[in-house]
Amino acid sequence: MPVEFISAVHTDAGASGPAATSRTGLDVGHLRKFARALDDGGFDHTLVAYHSASPDAFQIAQFVATHTERIRPILAHRPGVIFPTHAARALATLDQISGGRLTVHIISGGSDEEQRREGDYLDKTERYERSDEYIQILRKVWQADGPVSHEGKYFTFEGYYSDVKPVSRLVPISVGGSSQDAYRVGGQQGDIFGLWGEPLKETAEQIAAVNAVADAAGRPRPRIWVSFRPIIAPTDELAWEKAHRTLGVLKDQARNTELLRHYRTTGRPANVGSQRLLDIADRGEVHDRCLWTAPAVATNAAGASTALVGSPATVAKALLDYVDIGCDLLSIRGYDPLNDAIDYARHVLPLVRQELAHRATTQAA
C-alpha cells in the first residue's frame, strides 16, 4: 500500500487543540475552508475527531465529504453512544454520500471520567470487549444479504436488515491505543491501527505487538497510522525557536481553567497511551532525529501531542524513519492547525513523496 498522509479537520477557527485561544464550537465557514485546504493540499485522509463536548462527528464528516472531491474522512466513533445496527446503517449511508471515501476509527475510550459524561460506566477492559463485538456486528450487517440476528455479551437483536450498504460492501475500520487490550482488538479486527508519536524503538515494539496478534488470528496485518504535531520553519534553528514559542502558548493555555473545561480530565491520564508519552518525556526531551516530548508534558499528554521539530527536510527525513519501520499512514497536524496544514502541504508532503518515488524507481532499476 502507498504511504498516505492524514490531517485532522477543525470546526472552529479559535480552537487549535491544546493551543486553543477560544472555542465557539462550530464555524461553518472555517470548516469549509479547512476541508478544502486539505483537499487541495494533497492530504489523503482527515480525522474527524470525537469528544462529548464537540460538534457531532457524523454531521461534520458528511459536511467534509460533500465539500471536497478526494480527501477521505476518518470518522472517530465511540461504540457506547449509539446501537451498532444504527451505526452500521448511518456509516453505510455516509459512505454512499462520500462516494466510498469513509473510514471509521473506533475509540473505546481511555478516560472513565470522559466516558461517564455520556453515561458509559463500563471499565476499560469491558469497553474494548464491547468494541470487538461492535466491529463484528458492523461487518455482519454490511455483508448480510438478508436479516441477521446477534446475541452477545453487550448487544442482542433479532432479524435486522439494512437496505443501504457501503460502496465496497465494507468500510475500513481503524482501531487505536497502546494497551494490551488495544493491541488485541486492533490485531484481531482492525484494517488500520493508530499510534501516537513515540520514539522509533518504542513504536517498532508496538507495531510488533499488533502484528503478532494479527498473525496469531490468521488475518492480514493492519496498516499502521502514527501521529505527530510537526513544528517547521525554514531552518532547524528557526524551527526550535518557533517550538519554544509554541510551548509558551501551550503552558499559558494549561493555566486557563475556563478555556477547555469540558475537555479536561483530572489527575494523571488514565489511558496507557498518555502515560507512555509522559514516561518517555521523563527519559528525555528530544529523541531520535527530532521527536520533541515537551508539548506532551505541557498538555498532560492530551491526545497526540509529541512534535517533530525542524526544517521541512529534517521533518520529512524523520517521517521517513517511521515509514522504514512499518508506518504507512502519517498523521501530521499542527498547533496552528490551518496554517500548519497549508505549510505541510507545500513543504513536507512533496519531500516525502519525492523520496518515496525515488526509492521505488531505484528498486525497480
Side-chain angles (χ1 to χ4, degrees):
M1 297 291 287
V3 171
E4 295 178 327
F5 283 94
I6 303 172
S7 185
V9 73
H10 282 250
T11 61
D12 172 4
S16 301
T21 57
S22 66
R23 192 171 285 275
T24 61
L26 178 59
D27 179 338
V28 173
H30 179 77
L31 174 60
R32 183 185 297 109
K33 180 180 180 180
F34 204 129
R36 289 177 175 169
L38 297 179
D39 206 34
D40 294 342
F43 281 90
D44 302 287
H45 307 262
T46 185
L47 175 67
V48 179
Y50 184 97
H51 191 277
S52 61
S54 298
D56 181 72
F58 267 92
Q59 296 185 63
I60 298 302
Q62 180 178 338
F63 184 94
V64 170
T66 55
H67 288 85
T68 58
E69 298 295 328
R70 50 172 301 279
I71 199 163
R72 300 173 61 90
I74 301 177
L75 171 65
H77 179 62
R78 187 176 286 176
V81 177
I82 62 176
F83 202 75
T85 51
H86 180 180
R89 185 171 72 251
L91 291 165
T93 302
L94 181 51
D95 191 59
Q96 288 285 345
I97 290 171
S98 72
R101 287 184 279 155
L102 183 65
T103 296
V104 59
H105 180 55
I106 298 295
I107 49 173
S108 299
S111 164
D112 292 345
E113 185 178 347
E114 163 63 8
Q115 295 298 123
R116 290 169 183 171
R117 290 168 178 166
E118 295 192 293
D120 183 5
Y121 285 83
L122 298 182
D123 64 30
K124 191 178 79 167
T125 296
E126 291 173 321
R127 293 198 294 267
Y128 273 102
E129 290 177 347
R130 178 179 61 191
S131 291
D132 192 319
E133 185 176 340
Y134 200 94
I135 294 168
Q136 293 180 52
I137 292 169
L138 292 178
R139 289 178 172 146
K140 183 187 295 186
V141 170
W142 290 333
Q143 294 177 299
D145 293 321
V148 295
S149 300
H150 176 86
E151 184 173 351
K153 181 176 180 180
Y154 298 99
F155 305 103
T156 299
F157 57 90
E158 298 179 16
Y160 182 80
Y161 180 76
S162 172
D163 284 332
V164 59
K165 305 291 185 184
V167 171
S168 298
R169 201 68 172 179
L170 290 170
V171 173
I173 291 177
S174 169
V175 177
S178 296
S179 66
Q180 294 301 318
D181 288 328
Y183 301 154
R184 176 182 55 79
V185 176
Q188 292 178 348
Q189 301 289 352
D191 301 304
I192 296 168
F193 191 84
L195 298 168
W196 290 342
E198 297 187 6
L200 292 162
K201 177 179 179 293
E202 286 80 358
T203 301
E205 290 169 351
Q206 292 199 83
I207 294 171
V210 175
N211 287 344
V213 174
D215 292 346
R219 64 181 305 272
R221 293 176 172 181
R223 301 181 70 191
I224 301 298
W225 161 12
V226 62
S227 297
F228 304 99
R229 308 290 287 263
I231 299 173
I232 65 170
T235 67
D236 290 348
E237 184 178 69
L238 290 172
W240 280 106
E241 291 176 3
K242 179 180 177 182
H244 285 98
R245 291 196 301 272
T246 301
L247 183 62
V249 174
L250 295 176
K251 290 179 177 179
D252 288 342
Q253 183 274 320
R255 290 189 285 267
N256 186 338
T257 58
E258 178 64 19
L259 178 59
L260 297 178
R261 63 191 184 281
H262 300 305
Y263 293 79
R264 295 181 186 278
T265 54
T266 56
R268 180 172 168 85
N271 63 303
V272 175
S274 294
Q275 293 172 12
R276 287 175 62 101
L277 292 187
L278 294 174
D279 290 343
I280 290 166
D282 284 342
R283 301 202 303 268
E285 189 170 303
V286 181
H287 296 259
D288 301 324
R289 193 183 297 269
C290 61
L291 180 70
W292 192 41
T293 62
V297 177
T299 61
N300 201 28
S305 48
T306 51
L308 297 174
V309 181
S311 67
T314 295
V315 170
K317 290 175 183 176
L319 290 169
L320 288 162
D321 291 339
Y322 285 88
V323 172
D324 291 339
I325 64 168
C327 304
D328 58 2
L329 290 162
L330 305 175
S331 175
I332 54 172
R333 55 192 177 101
Y335 285 110
D336 182 7
L338 179 55
N339 291 326
D340 285 342
I342 293 169
D343 284 345
Y344 302 156
R346 289 174 177 168
H347 304 299
V348 177
L349 272 62
L351 292 178
V352 175
R353 288 175 171 150
Q354 287 166 15
E355 173 59 21
L356 291 171
H358 173 71
R359 291 181 182 185
T361 300
T362 301
Q363 289 170 0

